[in-house]
Amino acid sequence: MPRFAEFFAGIGLVREAIEPLGWECVFANDIALAKAEMYEGRFGREHLKVGDIHDLSVADLPLGVDLLTASFPCIDLSLAGNRNGLAGRHSGTIWPFLDLVEELRRRGALPPALLLENVTGLLSSEGGRDLRAICERIGELGYLIDIVVLDAKWFAPQSRPRLFVVALSRDLDVGVSPGSEEVSIVRPRSVRRFQCANRDLPLVELPLPEPPRGSPLPLVAVLDDVSQGDASWWPGERVEALIDAMAPRHRERVEELLAGERDGVATMFRRVRHGRTVGEVRADRLAGCLRTPYGGSSVQFLVDCRSGGVRIRPLNGREYARLQGAGDFPIAVSDRQAWLGFGDAVCVPAVRWLVAHALGFLCGAERSTLEAQLRLLDQGAPYAAVA
């Protein structure tokens, strides 16, 4: 059974994604106590070390690890952040992670694979120089690199495009090909532009199949049946005031919901436009990208018109979990803490799909076996049924 260690582990959704494929987690690290509480509630505390990555050393890590994962902070790289890039205090924590990989290499214990995850803004951060710097360092450590984009909306009813950097040791005998210029769903034009501008980097392509093209579930399928009298629903006068303040196209979307379109439900963010707070309603059957509950436009709301009137409430923690493909994750914390944990996490089926197809060979799995595993896992079958 291959072993992995997850850094910037959050509540453990990378572990949630790949343990059913036969991977064993032997180490996890995160600095946030609120996330660690949720992680321990799911997996226990045996392998979790809570603390600053700057304070870790290779002495903290078990030897013989096959994969290191790093969903490093995106705040300095995203549109919602300050765009300080890798010079920022948060996103710059990728460097101590790679320092640990470097020390493992010096000790003859270089992991066969790395998996990095972040926002697609990393492709353009500092004109592409930030991603180049990361890839240069990974290449110097002895890896070949593939860069792909996956969107949660292919696996769950949430719009959440994310960039993944898959690094494989040059010593591995796996089927990779030189990078091409062909645009595809997992290697869109933005990835191709980066590759073309950085041909000196050790960039390759793994033989990934086409991912799903749409979520198997609509938004309405992940919603709880919250009673009309529940305190989470806004009072009527607050709903009316928000609708009155909406731009015309967003009021039209509410009217469409009242007419039964898109199952009568949609999600909404509150934004500050021209000095006032307004509601902006999505026009599809997806939730917007989940975020942590900080800032004026971070919490996501449900606009529910199924009863013939307009009702509004924040999505709850269980609904956030389902939107990340982790519906069975135990939640014994407040909604706000759950928003933090799931809003700053990965989409479980997206990561599962990528690891199965990009790194399944480390499990000794044939492609037909992987496909069978993924189908059964998508249907809720336990790993024992597909081993």
Side-chain angles (χ1 to χ4, degrees):
M1 177 180 290
R3 293 149 44 98
F4 73 99
E6 55 177 343
F7 294 81
F8 314 99
I11 64 174
L13 292 198
V14 169
R15 182 172 182 173
E16 185 81 8
I18 71 175
E19 275 198 335
L21 295 174
W23 291 81
E24 178 188 5
C25 180
V26 293
F27 180 83
N29 169 248
D30 201 277
I31 194 173
L33 292 175
K35 296 176 186 175
E37 180 183 358
M38 295 182 68
Y39 189 105
E40 291 177 8
R42 179 59 161 173
F43 303 108
R45 63 178 65 187
E46 178 183 0
H47 300 300
L48 178 63
K49 185 175 181 65
V50 182
D52 193 326
I53 192 171
H54 291 89
D55 298 330
L56 293 181
S57 71
V58 290
D60 297 304
L61 308 181
L63 296 178
V65 176
D66 300 286
L67 169 67
L68 302 185
T69 70
S71 295
F72 62 104
C74 66
I75 187 170
D76 299 307
L77 303 169
S78 68
L79 291 174
N82 48 32
R83 298 309 292 261
N84 283 333
L86 296 185
R89 179 169 61 93
H90 303 279
S91 300
T93 49
I94 185 62
W95 301 125
F97 167 76
L98 292 176
D99 288 342
L100 288 171
V101 180
E102 169 70 23
E103 186 58 30
L104 288 171
R105 185 185 68 84
R106 290 196 190 104
R107 299 188 180 204
L110 185 73
L114 308 177
L115 178 66
L116 278 57
E117 179 267 345
N118 213 287
V119 294
T120 56
L122 179 55
L123 280 162
S124 57
S125 178
E126 295 297 317
R129 292 187 293 276
D130 281 344
L131 181 55
R132 177 181 171 83
I134 291 173
C135 291
E136 282 182 333
R137 181 74 183 281
I138 292 174
E140 291 167 357
L141 293 171
Y143 291 100
L144 302 174
I145 303 162
D146 195 4
I147 300 171
V148 299
V149 171
L150 296 182
D151 197 326
K153 71 180 182 181
W154 304 335
F155 306 89
Q158 178 199 178
S159 175
R160 191 182 189 87
R162 285 297 184 267
L163 185 76
F164 292 87
V165 176
V166 184
L168 298 175
S169 170
R170 293 174 186 268
D171 296 333
L172 292 174
D173 183 18
V174 295
V176 297
S177 60
S180 72
E181 297 184 6
E182 182 180 354
V183 172
S184 68
I185 189 171
V186 297
R187 298 183 184 90
R189 197 170 305 280
S190 56
V191 169
R192 293 307 189 195
R193 281 197 297 265
F194 177 83
Q195 292 172 326
C196 289
N198 296 278
R199 295 183 184 278
D200 58 314
L201 295 174
L203 302 176
V204 296
E205 291 183 15
L206 290 160
L208 299 177
E210 283 280 303
R213 290 301 186 109
S215 167
L217 296 175
L219 174 64
V220 70
V222 305
L223 301 177
D224 275 344
D225 184 13
V226 178
S227 67
Q228 179 67 42
D230 190 89
S232 63
W233 292 108
W234 285 10
E237 59 272 17
R238 186 181 182 189
V239 172
E240 292 175 6
L242 187 77
I243 293 174
D244 287 343
M246 284 181 178
R249 70 178 182 277
H250 292 285
R251 285 199 301 271
E252 289 172 5
R253 290 172 186 172
V254 174
E255 293 296 328
E256 291 169 356
L257 298 178
L258 287 167
E261 294 190 25
R262 299 187 295 283
D263 300 311
V265 296
T267 60
M268 178 192 78
F269 281 111
R270 289 184 296 174
R271 315 282 193 194
V272 176
R273 305 294 187 196
H274 307 294
R276 63 176 185 167
T277 300
V278 299
E280 296 186 349
V281 181
R282 287 190 68 93
D284 55 20
R285 296 190 179 203
L286 300 174
C289 182
L290 298 182
R291 300 173 183 172
T292 58
Y294 302 116
S297 63
S298 297
V299 176
Q300 197 157 179
F301 294 85
L302 171 68
V303 181
D304 189 342
C305 300
R306 290 175 291 178
S307 63
V310 183
R311 298 188 298 166
I312 296 177
R313 64 170 173 85
L315 293 176
N316 61 39
R318 176 57 58 200
E319 290 162 339
Y320 267 51
R322 294 182 189 125
L323 289 169
Q324 291 284 41
D328 294 334
F329 198 99
I331 301 176
V333 298
S334 67
D335 276 343
R336 188 170 184 84
Q337 190 170 340
W339 295 339
L340 169 66
F342 289 104
D344 203 17
V346 297
C347 177
V348 168
V351 172
R352 180 176 293 155
W353 181 91
L354 180 59
V355 170
H357 290 292
L359 303 175
F361 66 92
L362 290 172
C363 297
E366 297 292 335
R367 184 170 299 278
S368 59
T369 303
L370 291 172
E371 293 292 351
Q373 286 181 351
L374 290 172
R375 281 195 300 271
L376 288 174
L377 287 166
D378 287 343
Q379 297 165 10
Y383 178 68
V386 297

